[in-house]
Amino acid sequence: MNDLKQVYDYIEAHLNDYVDELIPLVQHKSVSMTHEGLPECAEFLSGIMEKAGIPNRVYPLPSGHPVIIGEVKADIENAPTLLIYGHYDVMPEGPLELWDSDPYNPEIRDGRLYGRGVSDNKGQLFAHIKAQEAYRKFYKLPVNLKYLFEGEEEQGSPNLLPFLREHREELAADLMICSDAGMHSSGRPTIELGLKGLCAVELTCRTLKKPQHSQYAACAPSATWRLVEALSTIKKAEGAVLIDGFYDKAVMPTVEELAAIDALPPFDASAQLADWGAGHLLQGRKTDDYYYNYMFEPTCNIGCLHAGYFDGSKNVTVDEAKCFIDMRIVPGQLPEEMAELLRQHLARRGFGDIEVKLYAGLPASKTPLDNKYVPVVKDALRAAFGAEPVVFPSVGCSAPFYMFPEVLGTPWMMIPISLSDQNDHGANENLLLSCWVKGIKAGAAFIEGIGSQG
């Protein structure tokens, strides 16, 4: 294997240059939910890739945002292929008064770069672009590198599945790596091998043609109270979900996955609760063990309730009330089936008039703990970060990764190179630059390690 010291030294020496290149990418507002600036951002990212030596093509989608495919061929025969996936779309910035600086004019404070998308996901995918550039300045490429960057991940990637099917041969790979989300709270490098799926539904309750003065509250049925009553049948306050059949098809964790929990750093409940401002962890269906519930228990969360007027009391009996529920589902559970279980559950309890609309769904996905590339990636992270990696058999978030084994036959790993306190999706999203530079080194180490594995 090659000694990567000179590659690492080169990356360290060019950190300021990398920051200067990343900032204009973050300045491109690319909010997929509001369809702002996606084609322009895709073209700009394509230019960054070309400059870094990655030939690529931008594919416009008739009913969605552009997808970029790039490829650099190995300098040796019969080399393995590594696919890097990422997304250039971002979440809306939210209330500007919560930001300490302009979300689209990145600013460095105390060693962190602040801006919307700087970590989720522009900075993390950018690291892999620079990793191959630095590696190729010193060594021949021992792997075929492919890149897939999309602009709809924050919407649930509605067009990615047909795109993968159409470009199956072009994107064929031995392993897919995505750097997204945050590392373990200890700051140790992290490998995540499983993701929960997603069943996101909108519930709408209508009881009147129009709002009525609250003097009629004794007579006119309130949509707000009816929806609240219906919601009270869905979940216990302490964690267990009450939807009929909710857990029936949920696959339990394996013995190996449970053993992987024991190998994780001890969970600091007091620190986590202090950070949340909470008094206790929820008692789930089986336990209040953080790691177990986070990785393996399906959830049913109310993310938003909307009814009536919030700009002062209007003293009305509300005609329509809505809520948005996201269920983080586990292997064995499918989004469409979970939405139907909820619909049937409500109907059995006299709430058949409440509309249940599935608006986003993703199945869960896992890569086995014994995948041959796990020790290779662990070695690479250990070398780049100087710390022992943490391996999660699963995590609680969702992404469209099930598509890669399903369509391409490609296992995947999520390897975040940003800290857990990055505030992705929130105000003051940030990237710790000293961690980021290690992530760029790790990208080079993946190339060397996977190339050596063959």
Side-chain angles (χ1 to χ4, degrees):
M1 293 182 65
N2 294 313
D3 181 359
L4 295 185
K5 183 180 184 306
Q6 56 187 341
V7 179
Y8 292 170
D9 289 345
Y10 179 88
I11 291 170
E12 287 275 5
H14 288 79
L15 175 59
N16 290 337
D17 297 330
Y18 296 158
V19 172
D20 289 343
E21 290 182 68
L22 176 60
I23 285 175
L25 180 61
V26 178
Q27 288 174 329
H28 274 267
K29 188 174 183 178
S30 51
V31 181
S32 54
M33 287 186 177
T34 54
H35 311 290
E36 295 178 80
L38 279 301
E40 296 82 0
C41 187
E43 289 294 339
F44 189 81
L45 177 55
S46 171
I48 289 175
M49 295 169 69
E50 289 285 351
K51 184 180 176 182
I54 305 172
N56 66 88
R57 178 179 172 185
V58 179
Y59 292 85
L61 299 183
S63 60
H65 306 309
V67 177
I68 307 169
I69 293 180
E71 182 175 7
V72 184
K73 294 188 180 296
D75 295 312
I76 60 174
E77 296 291 331
N78 301 316
T81 299
L82 173 62
L83 173 63
I84 303 296
Y85 164 84
H87 64 94
Y88 63 88
D89 65 317
V90 302
M91 277 291 194
E93 61 274 16
L96 292 177
E97 62 269 20
L98 299 180
W99 288 78
D100 295 331
S101 55
D102 186 337
Y104 297 107
N105 188 19
E107 182 177 293
I108 297 176
R109 300 191 301 274
D110 299 323
R112 294 177 184 247
L113 182 63
Y114 288 81
R116 172 55 86 229
V118 71
S119 177
D120 184 16
N121 180 242
K122 293 176 179 178
Q124 299 204 55
L125 69 82
F126 183 88
H128 288 282
I129 295 172
K130 289 300 163 183
Q132 66 81 35
E133 181 185 50
Y135 186 96
R136 292 168 66 199
K137 286 187 179 295
F138 298 94
Y139 298 114
K140 291 183 177 180
L141 197 61
V143 295
N144 299 300
L145 291 173
K146 296 181 180 181
Y147 299 83
L148 173 66
F149 298 144
E150 64 152 322
E152 298 180 337
E153 194 271 350
E154 301 294 8
Q155 291 181 290
S157 303
N159 292 293
L160 185 58
L161 186 59
F163 186 87
L164 287 179
R165 288 171 175 158
E166 183 179 351
H167 298 271
R168 180 184 288 108
E169 293 184 8
E170 191 177 355
L171 292 168
D174 296 286
L175 177 68
M176 182 277 270
I177 286 178
C178 173
S179 291
D180 202 346
M183 294 158 53
H184 187 266
S185 57
S186 65
R188 285 167 54 182
T190 304
I191 303 171
E192 298 169 351
L193 298 176
L195 291 171
K196 291 180 180 177
L198 174 69
C199 171
V201 296
E202 177 187 35
L203 269 58
T204 303
C205 177
R206 300 181 183 88
T207 55
L208 301 166
K209 290 197 300 183
K210 58 184 178 180
Q212 297 296 322
H213 192 287
S214 62
Q215 66 179 312
Y216 299 113
C219 309
S222 162
T224 310
W225 279 114
R226 182 160 180 76
L227 180 59
V228 169
E229 185 181 3
L231 292 175
S232 70
T233 73
I234 291 174
K235 182 178 177 291
K236 289 182 179 179
E238 276 300 301
V241 180
L242 301 175
I243 297 171
D244 301 329
F246 184 81
Y247 296 103
D248 288 357
K249 293 186 178 181
V251 175
M252 300 300 293
T254 65
V255 172
E256 293 77 16
E257 289 170 339
L258 292 175
I261 292 181
D262 295 334
L264 294 172
F267 175 66
D268 188 342
S270 59
Q272 185 65 77
L273 292 172
D275 180 61
W276 287 344
H280 68 287
L281 296 171
L282 288 183
Q283 175 66 45
R285 177 173 52 137
K286 297 177 178 293
T287 175
D288 65 353
D289 180 85
Y290 172 84
Y291 283 136
Y292 183 92
N293 288 336
Y294 176 62
M295 295 183 199
F296 303 127
E297 276 294 278
T299 69
C300 185
N301 176 63
I302 300 173
C304 173
L305 280 168
H306 181 85
Y309 304 90
F310 291 89
D311 55 346
S313 176
K314 298 296 184 182
N315 295 334
V316 297
T317 301
V318 172
D319 58 321
E320 180 179 282
K322 290 178 177 285
C323 78
F324 292 89
I325 290 177
D326 65 275
M327 305 178 201
R328 301 291 168 165
I329 56 179
V330 299
Q333 298 176 315
L334 295 176
E336 297 80 5
E337 292 180 359
M338 303 308 289
E340 182 59 27
L341 286 177
L342 174 58
R343 187 178 292 108
Q344 293 176 8
H345 170 93
L346 292 173
R348 289 190 193 100
R349 284 153 183 81
F351 298 103
D353 58 305
I354 294 180
E355 179 184 347
V356 179
K357 178 182 178 183
L358 175 67
Y359 68 90
L362 295 169
S365 182
K366 287 184 181 179
T367 294
L369 284 160
D370 61 358
N371 180 276
K372 72 174 185 176
Y373 288 113
V374 171
V376 177
V377 171
K378 286 179 70 174
D379 288 344
L381 288 171
R382 193 181 294 114
F385 281 83
E388 186 64 24
V390 175
V391 179
F392 276 89
S394 188
V395 292
C397 58
S398 306
F401 293 174
Y402 78 95
M403 300 178 188
F404 293 91
E406 180 177 298
V407 178
L408 306 180
T410 302
W412 61 267
M413 298 181 191
M414 188 154 74
I415 305 171
I417 54 174
S418 181
L419 294 184
S420 60
D421 62 353
Q422 65 182 337
N423 291 340
D424 52 340
H425 292 196
N428 297 313
E429 180 182 346
N430 66 85
L431 189 65
L432 181 66
L433 297 179
S434 60
C435 181
W436 187 55
V437 73
K438 292 177 182 177
I440 301 173
K441 293 178 185 178
F446 298 154
I447 293 170
E448 177 67 21
I450 293 169
S452 300
Q453 176 80 7

